[in-house]
Amino acid sequence: MKEAIVANLELVHLRIKNACKQAGRDTNDVQLLLATKTVPAEKIRIAIEAGEKLIGENKVQEFSAKDEGLTGLNIERHFIGHLQTNKIKEVLKFASCIQSLDRLKVAQELDRRLQVEGRSTEVFVQVNTSYEQSKFGILPDEAVAFIRTIKNYDTLTIRGLMTIGLLDVEKERMRPSLILLRETRDKILHEGIEGIENLKLSMGMSQDLEMAITEGTNLVRVGTAIFGNRFLGKEIWNENIAE
Ligand SMILES: *Cc1c(COP(=O)(O)O)cnc(C)c1O
């Protein structure tokens, strides 16, 4: 088990490195996040001890369930799943960044809770670049207005935009989603909104990380290529049933 995870990690880093080289990009501009949904703590521990630092969970209860198994490790945890407002207090105990900010109500509730705790958190705005019902996220056309609104919450540090995109057996069908996230970012930056001078892109997963690097991602979220199949069946990408 350990050998497989370490070997897979090496392979993923090699893929990132090669894709960066091809795209003429600096490897340091692309961070790797381990998507650890359904992965037990002992497997995550192997990856962290092999040098990884950043993990992402889709379910709030998986953070608490694995917390004890991860004690003593220096990790940064992001939340990447669909966030229900009644889980906000709990998610803030574990995550330093919410990558899936997808509606105003969540921004309001995050702000309310963070005010109480007297602190802030980082966020990515999730954008539905594939226009699928099965995916959450604001629509690309709403992005500028959404950023202008949530910018008023001092407790939220806007780090960038996140998308899942169109997953298809035909890999090239993903590319328009990735391009759309980049264009949405550029459109926001073009507005010259005060305090929004730099936005990162979180996109690219096991099957499309090279393409995402070509299209400008700064953070790839990889699960399957490191930890193997999750055996969740074909409904895995319906975010509506993720929690
Ligand atoms: C599971 C998941 C990933 C990783 O997907 P893989 O295909 O397993 O690499 C990335 N992002 C999100 C939001 C996920 O839920």
Side-chain angles (χ1 to χ4, degrees), residues 35 37 58 80 162 164 205-206 221-225 230 237:
K37 57 175 172 274
N58 291 64
I80 62 173
M162 183 274 256
I164 293 171
M205 299 172 284
S206 291
R221 310 178 307 267
V222 181
T224 310
R230 291 178 295 267
W237 284 108

Side-chain angles (χ1 to χ4, degrees), residues 57-62 79 81-84 86-87 136 238-243:
E57 290 286 357
N58 291 64
K59 295 187 183 178
V60 179
Q61 62 266 33
E62 282 201 50
F79 187 73
H82 183 59
L83 186 54
Q84 288 160 349
N86 63 359
K87 302 265 173 68
F136 287 101
N238 186 340
E239 286 201 292
N240 292 298
I241 59 160
E243 184 114 23

Side-chain angles (χ1 to χ4, degrees), residues 39-49 55 57 62-75 77 94:
V39 178
E42 59 265 36
K43 287 195 180 180
I44 301 173
R45 180 173 280 277
I46 291 168
I48 303 300
E49 285 171 352
I55 71 165
E57 290 286 357
E62 282 201 50
F63 275 133
S64 43
K66 297 173 196 177
D67 196 46
E68 213 179 278
L70 298 174
T71 44
L73 297 176
N74 180 21
I75 41 171
R77 286 180 276 208
F94 303 98

